[in-house]
């Protein structure tokens, strides 16, 4: 009876119409929250200011960054510039505009990248033998638009959509077996090392991706040269590392208000683990997991190439969500997992989808349920729920994929 219902053309048309309606409403919601609303920028200031200083021949990794920020802006909370030198080209592009104009260009660019990301995912999944219909991809885009992380990205002027686009480019390139484009995607996602380092290292144990890994290293170096050479390579790197060592010292970056292993460790011990240590744990955890997968030949059997790539991508993104020190507004990058798990069975897809909904609205759930409330209620909530949901996804994806594909290997 259920199979007959699913095969009924009228039922499928109703489902497609509902998907288009929800997705379309989500996209309209995105435009209303991003372009129409008059948000006060909080974080884009740092991107624009760094580009402005670079254009003046001043390094944003020195004391001048905070000094100039306090002079140029009425509201400036005095944080250091935490992005790597490879961010030079983005900062310089947007600093060519007057600040208020740059904010609007940044918002329109973010909306465009979000929509383009969906097209990349649709094309990439098609290259892996998974046809994603237009109603489905519009529905998916609407879901991403409804995420609190997406809204917060525009409220704060954050880079979450840029990193989300980079992740989608990595997915498209890996599924399309395009090593050069994969390197471009990895260079972009490394603009935020808390996300990029784990995704980059996930490809290292697999020989087929070694070319992309090498190209990524050279590409990131070339992107960094304009920020390194004028001020001295060693001096700039030391100044950058000194700045990120202070990342955990700001209220918004405290363990309770961030996600990942440092959040869980804080709840268990009341000890603040540094963000740098948490990133190292993320990299080592993903590296060891991928080495085990490569050495034990899981998903390496003939005819399972697409499944292997889908598995690596879905597992890596879930592990980053579970381990890396991030904020809830960063979690846009886990959204593609609901597409990457298309071959893991219907029940698994449903569970992954529900888990995504928890992540998408983790702050609402936290406040409504009265759980895991932070000491600073006006700042981020939902970190624990996002972390636990990502851990659940990590375990589920690994167990289901291993059982499914190992069973397939035994039958071939």
């Amino acid at each position: 009876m259920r199979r007959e219902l699913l095969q009924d053309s009228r039922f499928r048309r109703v489902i497609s119409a509902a998907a288009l309606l929800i997705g379309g409403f989500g996209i309209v919601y995105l435009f209303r929250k991003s372009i129409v609303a008059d948000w006060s920028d909080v974080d884009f200031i740092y991107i624009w200011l760094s580009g402005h200083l670079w254009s003046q021949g001043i390094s944003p990794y020195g004391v001048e960054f905070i000094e100039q920020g306090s002079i140029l802006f009425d509201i400036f909370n005095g944080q250091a510039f935490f992005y790597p030198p490879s961010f030079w080209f983005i900062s310089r592009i947007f600093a060519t505009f007057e600040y208020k104009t740059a904010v609007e260009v940044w918002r329109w660019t973010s909306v465009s990248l979000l929509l383009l990301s969906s097209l990349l995912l649709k094309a990439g999944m098609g290259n892996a033998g998974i046809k994603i219909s237009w109603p489905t991809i519009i529905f998916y885009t609407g879901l991403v638009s409804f995420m609190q992380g997406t809204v917060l990205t525009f409220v704060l002027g954050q880079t979450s959509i840029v990193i989300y686009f980079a992740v989608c480019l990595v997915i498209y390139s890996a599924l399309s077996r395009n090593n050069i484009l994969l390197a471009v995607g990895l260079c972009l996602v490394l603009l935020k090392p808390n996300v990029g380092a784990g995704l980059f290292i996930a490809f290292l144990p697999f020989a087929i991706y070694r070319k992309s890994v090498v190209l990524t290293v050279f590409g990131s170096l070339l992107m960094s040269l304009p920020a390194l050479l004028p001020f001295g390579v060693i001096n700039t790197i030391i100044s950058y590392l000194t700045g990120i060592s202070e990342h955990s010292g700001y209220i918004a970056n405290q363990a309770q208000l961030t996600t990942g292993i440092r959040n869980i460790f804080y709840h268990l011990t009341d000890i603040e683990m540094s963000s740098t240590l948490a990133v190292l744990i993320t990299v080592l955890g993903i590296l060891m997991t991928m080495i085990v997968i490569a050495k034990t030949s899981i998903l390496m059997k003939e005819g399972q190439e697409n499944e292997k790539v889908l598995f690596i991508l879905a597992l890596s993104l879930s592990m980053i969500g579970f381990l890396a020190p991030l904020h809830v507004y960063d979690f846009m990058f886990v959204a593609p997992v609901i597409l990457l798990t298309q071959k893991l069975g219907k029940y698994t897809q449903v569970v992954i989808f529900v888990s995504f909904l928890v992540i998408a609205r983790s702050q609402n759930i936290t406040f409504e349920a009265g759980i895991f409330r932070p000491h600073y209620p006006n700042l981020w909530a939902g970190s624990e729920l996002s972390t636990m949901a990502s851990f659940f996804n990590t375990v589920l994806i690994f167990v289901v994929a291993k059982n499914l594909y190992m069973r397939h290997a035994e039958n071939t």
Side-chain angles (χ1 to χ4, degrees), residues 24 333 380 397:
F333 75 88
W380 319 130
I397 291 168

Side-chain angles (χ1 to χ4, degrees), residues 121 162-172 185 188-189 195 199 313 317 333-334 336:
L121 289 174
V162 174
I163 302 306
Y164 168 73
F165 168 77
V167 168
C168 292
L169 181 58
V170 167
I171 293 171
Y172 169 80
L188 291 177
V189 80
V195 176
L199 190 57
L313 291 168
L317 294 176
F333 75 88
V334 303

Side-chain angles (χ1 to χ4, degrees), residues 343-412:
K343 291 195 174 184
L344 295 186
K346 296 296 182 183
Y347 293 111
T348 301
Q349 290 177 51
V350 170
V351 174
I352 292 290
F353 182 75
V354 172
S355 179
F356 165 76
L357 294 180
V358 171
I359 292 173
R361 285 286 161 175
S362 60
Q363 285 186 289
N364 287 133
I365 297 171
T366 296
F367 281 118
E368 291 298 327
I371 56 175
F372 301 124
R373 287 181 180 272
H375 294 315
Y376 310 97
N378 60 319
L379 293 177
W380 319 130
S383 298
E384 293 80 6
L385 284 180
S386 297
T387 300
M388 290 188 293
S390 296
F391 174 70
F392 175 81
N393 289 349
T394 298
V395 175
L396 179 65
I397 291 168
F398 184 85
V399 171
V400 174
K402 178 183 175 182
N403 291 340
L404 180 65
Y405 298 134
M406 291 300 284
R407 190 162 59 244
H408 169 76
E410 292 173 358
N411 296 331
T412 56

Side-chain angles (χ1 to χ4, degrees), residues 30-261:
L30 170 68
F31 274 91
R32 187 174 71 85
K33 288 290 187 179
S34 59
I35 301 302
V36 179
D38 185 21
W39 298 112
S40 297
D41 171 48
V42 176
D43 292 321
F44 178 72
I45 285 176
Y46 303 107
I47 297 169
W48 184 89
L49 178 60
S50 63
H52 175 72
L53 291 182
W54 268 318
S55 70
Q56 301 296 314
I58 302 171
S59 172
Y61 299 115
V63 296
E64 293 89 350
F65 184 79
I66 296 176
E67 291 175 352
Q68 289 297 312
S70 300
I71 293 172
L72 293 173
F73 299 101
D74 294 331
I75 300 176
F76 188 78
N77 64 11
Q79 284 190 179
F81 184 61
F82 295 127
Y83 289 98
S86 55
F87 216 90
W88 180 91
F89 78 102
I90 289 183
S91 294
R92 286 290 289 110
I93 288 173
F94 284 93
T96 59
F97 300 98
E98 183 268 334
Y99 169 69
K100 290 186 177 180
T101 302
V103 171
E104 294 303 317
V105 175
W106 178 256
R107 289 172 179 166
W108 278 103
T109 301
S110 296
V111 170
S112 301
L113 290 178
L114 190 150
L115 298 177
L116 180 58
S117 297
S118 292
L119 298 180
L120 285 174
L121 289 174
K122 185 179 187 300
M125 297 298 289
N127 290 336
I130 301 174
K131 184 178 179 180
I132 304 294
S133 67
W134 282 109
T136 299
I137 202 64
I138 291 174
F139 174 67
Y140 167 83
T141 306
L143 289 177
V144 176
S145 301
F146 276 126
M147 291 182 73
Q148 282 178 304
T150 306
V151 176
L152 283 171
T153 292
F154 289 103
V155 174
L156 302 173
Q158 259 291 336
T159 59
S160 304
I161 291 180
V162 174
I163 302 306
Y164 168 73
F165 168 77
V167 168
C168 292
L169 181 58
V170 167
I171 293 171
Y172 169 80
S173 306
L175 293 174
S176 305
R177 295 174 175 79
N178 188 323
N179 285 324
I180 295 177
L181 202 55
L182 177 57
V184 173
L186 289 173
C187 285
L188 291 177
V189 80
L190 280 168
L191 293 174
K192 192 177 184 77
N194 291 16
V195 176
L199 190 57
F200 168 77
I201 209 69
F203 290 96
L204 185 59
F206 304 96
I208 190 174
Y209 299 118
R210 298 284 166 76
K211 179 180 179 180
S212 295
V213 169
V214 173
L215 288 173
T216 300
V217 173
F218 281 105
S220 295
L221 178 60
L222 287 174
M223 290 167 61
S224 302
L225 287 179
L228 295 174
L229 294 180
F231 314 103
V233 175
I234 301 301
N235 288 336
T236 303
I237 292 175
I238 291 175
S239 297
Y240 167 62
L241 294 177
T242 301
I244 63 173
S245 69
E246 300 172 356
H247 178 271
S248 305
Y250 297 93
I251 290 177
N253 298 329
Q254 290 180 2
Q256 188 190 169
L257 298 175
T258 56
T259 64
I261 192 67

